[in-house]
Amino acid sequence: MEIKENKLLGVSYRDTPNKGGIIKPFYIIMHYDGAPNSTSAIDWLTDSRSKVSAHLHISRTGVVTQMAPFNVRCWHAGSSTWAGLKGLNSYSIGIELQNKGHEIYTEKQISIALEVCQAIVGHYPIRDILGHSDIAPGRKEDPGRQFPWEKFKSLIKGDWNGLT
């Protein structure tokens, strides 16, 4: 996968109004959408009434939809802190994975998510890949216990200790 002008090439694009401001991303934040299907999730993330968004959505079948350029602030993290930073929307790329919260992620979905994260890590000065639960503990639990962290952490660190 390739990124050009802050967009992932070869994927569909559906603009979200729920964004604003230019950012320099240092983190990737993984989420699950909690929606019954990818269409309803993308509809919600691109509806101005929702006041939430993400840069990307990845369906269970591996379909990637981008909703904002990677250098634009999306509203995915909410009240959040990490490594001395507050308001992680200003420092991160948000990726929503189609999952109701209790489902096992599909092999295709994880494979595509890894490709996407690898492209992002290769293009931006990404320090870490985190879960919503890491930056908003007690408030959020996504991407959930079933998320294969060891595969993603290895994109950043060769020696992952199993903790996020």
Side-chain angles (χ1 to χ4, degrees):
M1 295 195 161
E2 186 180 347
I3 296 170
K4 187 172 184 180
E5 297 178 5
N6 297 293
K7 291 183 180 175
L8 201 55
L9 298 180
V11 303
S12 64
Y13 188 89
R14 184 163 164 198
D15 194 54
T16 182
N18 306 322
K19 63 182 189 283
I22 301 299
I23 65 168
K24 182 177 181 182
F26 297 119
Y27 298 100
I28 298 171
I29 309 299
M30 305 303 291
H31 304 266
Y32 60 63
D33 61 19
N37 58 62
S38 61
T39 301
S40 64
I42 294 167
D43 286 348
W44 183 245
L45 292 166
T46 57
D47 186 327
S48 62
R49 295 172 295 174
S50 74
K51 307 241 186 278
V52 297
S53 58
H55 293 88
L56 297 174
H57 183 274
I58 303 174
S59 76
R60 292 183 66 75
T61 59
V63 175
V64 179
T65 303
Q66 187 161 3
M67 294 163 281
F70 294 128
N71 69 333
V72 173
R73 181 185 304 112
C74 279
W75 305 338
H76 61 94
S79 177
S80 53
T81 59
W82 187 261
L85 298 173
K86 291 183 180 183
L88 272 285
N89 286 335
S90 296
Y91 308 99
S92 63
I93 292 170
I95 299 176
E96 293 277 352
L97 299 170
Q98 180 188 351
N99 192 299
K100 294 177 188 170
H102 60 274
E103 299 169 297
I104 301 296
Y105 291 96
T106 68
E107 285 185 36
K108 182 68 172 176
Q109 185 178 38
I110 293 303
S111 175
I112 295 296
L114 283 165
E115 286 183 46
V116 165
C117 286
Q118 190 170 27
I120 293 169
V121 167
H123 196 83
Y124 299 96
I126 300 298
R127 298 176 185 164
D128 209 347
I129 301 172
L130 305 166
H132 202 181
S133 57
D134 295 317
I135 63 170
R139 186 173 71 81
K140 293 294 181 178
E141 62 183 37
D142 52 317
R145 293 178 188 216
Q146 65 282 15
F147 188 77
W149 279 113
E150 65 283 355
K151 293 179 180 182
F152 287 82
K153 291 293 186 171
S154 68
L155 296 175
I156 301 293
K157 311 171 195 171
D159 181 25
W160 181 68
N161 63 10
L163 300 174
T164 61

